[in-house]
Each structure stands twice: as structure tokens, then as C-alpha cells.
Amino acid sequence: MNRTYRGGSVTPDPSLFTAVMEGQWEIVREKLLALATTAAIMTAVAISVSILLLFLSLALVVVFRILVVPTTPASTRQELVFDYVSAAPTAVSSFLGAKETKALALYDNPKLITDAALTSSRVLTPGQRFDVSVSLTLPETTHNVDAGVFQVRAELLTARGEVIANATRPAMLAHTGTEVRLLRLLVSWPLHALGLVEEVRTVTLPMFEGVSERLTRPFAGVRVTVVPRAGGGPNAVPQMWRAHADLRMDMSALTRFLYHYPASSFAVMVLVTWGYLCAAALLVFAAAAAAGVVRVPTSFAGEVVRRASAADGKQRLDPFFDGMGLTTSSDDEAVSAGPTP
């Protein structure tokens, strides 16, 4: 900024270094005050923009988590109780919660369940992919070994009992030689004597993988049927100690991280999003300032200081906005148009 003295003479404003070297302490004080004021204004503007972008980051992360992260349990296990009255024992298990089950219990006949009640009573969100497996715990008896291969058929059901998908898998109790069984018994007989170990084997069958939850026909339960081999008769039906069906959501690595570590993932996503938004805002502002659309921060802060000083002197100034954006007045304009009397 140039300085105008009496008589109309205009002299260049010395730099801070020159003022210090020449001992012009009044000029040094003015420059330091202007520098501090400019830095304070720039800091206040930066903090305001950063806070605004932080709240925007929080909103974006919350919306992203609502759309991507499942709200239901990642895995659910339901017991299967087989009915051995029939030649092919069958078990039906529901994965619906207590609230949904109570709401659907109002219908005397599942076939009468309305479409609205059907779609509102669901286990998974529409589009969610999931896996279903069946585990059968079989005692190591001679009957189960002689039963050989048997077939396990599973069906995914809606609350109305409609079949969504079906699958079948062969299974059998693996044969173990007499010598191996005696060796196992010799090693673990104290645990068997205390009842801590049972002579059972568990057969796990992955029945469904990557099934997508439908919008109009939501998954509600599973029906499992054990079918003996052809020509085997009643002796081909295996004896089961217990059985259960497992429902597991199929999630990507990112979704699993967001689901299992909600607090950590939320903080990381907010910080990353906030950093990207701040960097993008800085680049956009730099490009706009280079194009002359907006002022650089130092020019804007200097204008604020100049107008504040002029307001103390009761001088009339043009507004910040002239209809096309910020005015183009600069700090290098002359303080007065003529000599001071």
C-alpha cells in the first residue's frame, strides 16, 4: 500500500524488513497489526468452512452407512427338530423375530397373510445376499454307519409357506476303522468318563450360497427333509442327536469392516471424507481465485481491515458486492484523490 503525505507526494510503503532496519517503529507496529488481523480473519474463515465441511461429512457417512451396512445380525442359528413319524423326517424352522412372529400369528391361515404384512415381516433387507447351511450331529452308532448315504433336501420359505428356492445334498457318516476308534477311546477315555466328550460326529452341508433377498417374497424360514437312499428302507434313515440351520449374511470385506467395527469405521470414514472435502474445497477456491472469480484470502482480509479502519473514520465505502461478485478495489488504491490541505 502506498502512503500519501501532505503536499500530494506519494511514497512507496516500505517493507517490514526495511522498516525494522531503518527504525520506523510506527510502521512496524502498523504492519504487524495488519498481519495479525489478516491471519485472524483467514483463520476464522478457514475454521468456519472446515466446520461446515465436517457436518457435511457426518451427514454423508450416516447416509452411506444406512444404505450399505446391514442392521440385522450377521449370523443366526435356529434349531431343527425332525419329525420321525414320517418315512422322510422333516423339520421346519423360522428365522423371524418375536415381533414379526406375533404379528403374523394374527392370521389363522398362513395363506391369508396379505402382501403388506408379508413384506413388512422380513429377516433381511431387500437385495442382501446370504448363505444357509445345515448341520447334523450324528452319534457314531452302527446304525448310522450302516445307513450309508442319505439325502438332505432344504427349502427356503416365505411366511406364507411359499418355496423361494430349494437344494439337495448327499451326506453320510464317515466310516472310522475299529483300530482308530479304539485309539481315540484310549486317548480320551477320561473325558468320556466325565461326560465332557460325546461319541458324535457333525456333518455340515452348505445348502445355499449367495442367495439374494427378494423385495416381494422375503425369506422367513427353512424346511429340511432327510430322505433315505433308494431301496434302503427304514434302516437307511440316520439317527440324529441334534441339528440346526445357520443363516449368514454374505458381505464384502468393506461391509464386514463397517459392520463389525462400527465406531472405528465411522471415525475413519468421517476423517477421510472430511479430508477429501477440504482438499476439494481448497482446489476449487484456488482455481476460482486464479480465474479472478473470487479474491485471494489475503486480499479479502486486507479489504476487511481497510473497511474496518474506514468505518472508524466515518468514511463512506462501496459495498462488498457490486452485483457481479466482490468488488475489485485493492489495497493499492490511493487513500485520497488529492493533496490534504
Side-chain angles (χ1 to χ4, degrees):
M1 182 177 64
N2 298 330
R3 294 179 178 270
T4 303
Y5 296 92
R6 293 181 180 274
S9 61
V10 178
T11 59
D13 193 15
S15 63
L16 179 60
F17 178 76
T18 302
V20 172
M21 296 302 295
E22 295 179 356
Q24 301 178 12
W25 304 115
E26 183 65 24
I27 298 178
V28 172
R29 186 187 67 82
E30 293 178 1
K31 286 187 171 294
L32 291 178
L33 180 60
L35 180 62
T37 306
T38 301
I41 294 175
M42 293 175 60
T43 303
V45 173
I47 291 176
S48 301
V49 175
S50 299
I51 292 176
L52 179 62
L53 294 179
L54 176 60
F55 281 106
L56 180 59
S57 303
L58 290 171
L60 292 176
V61 172
V62 169
V63 172
F64 178 80
R65 293 185 66 89
I66 292 175
L67 296 177
V68 174
V69 181
T71 56
T72 54
S75 60
T76 307
R77 172 172 294 183
Q78 293 293 335
E79 184 181 6
L80 295 173
V81 180
F82 286 91
D83 183 8
Y84 272 82
V85 175
S86 59
T90 303
V92 179
S93 183
S94 174
F95 285 89
L96 293 174
K99 181 180 179 181
E100 290 79 8
T101 303
K102 183 178 179 180
L104 296 177
L106 300 176
Y107 297 90
D108 298 331
N109 188 349
K111 302 294 184 181
L112 301 179
I113 297 177
T114 62
D115 293 338
L118 185 68
T119 55
S120 61
S121 302
R122 60 172 65 249
V123 181
L124 303 169
T125 56
Q128 174 64 52
R129 303 180 69 86
F130 62 94
D131 305 332
V132 176
S133 61
V134 174
S135 297
L136 308 176
T137 302
L138 310 175
E140 292 181 312
T141 60
T142 304
H143 173 86
N144 283 341
V145 174
D146 295 339
V149 179
F150 56 93
Q151 205 76 8
V152 178
R153 183 171 64 242
E155 299 170 316
L156 302 183
L157 307 175
T158 66
R160 288 182 183 149
E162 302 167 338
V163 178
I164 302 174
N166 60 77
T168 180
R169 297 284 188 276
M172 66 175 295
L173 184 64
H175 174 73
T176 303
T178 304
E179 297 81 1
V180 176
R181 292 190 61 188
L182 290 177
L183 181 60
R184 288 179 179 175
L185 182 60
L186 179 63
V187 172
S188 60
W189 72 265
L191 300 179
H192 283 282
L194 296 174
L196 300 178
V197 175
E198 300 171 343
E199 290 186 89
V200 295
R201 302 280 292 276
T202 300
V203 178
T204 301
L205 303 173
M207 304 304 297
F208 301 94
E209 294 182 350
V211 181
S212 181
E213 172 72 347
R214 300 183 182 181
L215 179 62
T216 57
R217 301 177 66 190
F219 164 74
V222 61
R223 178 167 55 211
V224 180
T225 304
V226 177
V227 182
R229 70 178 187 275
N235 293 330
V237 179
Q239 302 170 343
M240 276 178 284
W241 186 269
R242 53 182 171 266
H244 59 264
D246 293 310
L247 170 66
R248 185 179 62 85
M249 288 189 296
D250 188 7
M251 297 183 290
S252 62
L254 175 61
T255 307
R256 283 197 299 270
F257 173 70
L258 298 177
Y259 182 88
H260 293 289
Y261 304 96
S264 302
S265 62
F266 184 82
V268 170
M269 290 186 65
V270 168
L271 292 177
V272 172
T273 306
W274 186 30
Y276 274 113
L277 289 178
C278 290
L282 182 61
L283 292 177
V284 170
F285 182 80
V293 179
V294 296
R295 292 186 175 188
V296 296
T298 54
S299 176
F300 178 76
E303 180 72 9
V304 173
V305 174
R306 189 180 70 84
R307 290 175 178 272
S309 301
D312 294 339
K314 305 299 183 182
Q315 296 183 16
R316 183 178 181 275
L317 297 173
D318 295 332
F320 272 102
F321 297 92
D322 58 0
M324 297 296 292
L326 288 177
T327 58
T328 57
S329 60
S330 69
D331 295 336
D332 295 332
E333 294 177 351
V335 176
S336 60
T340 304

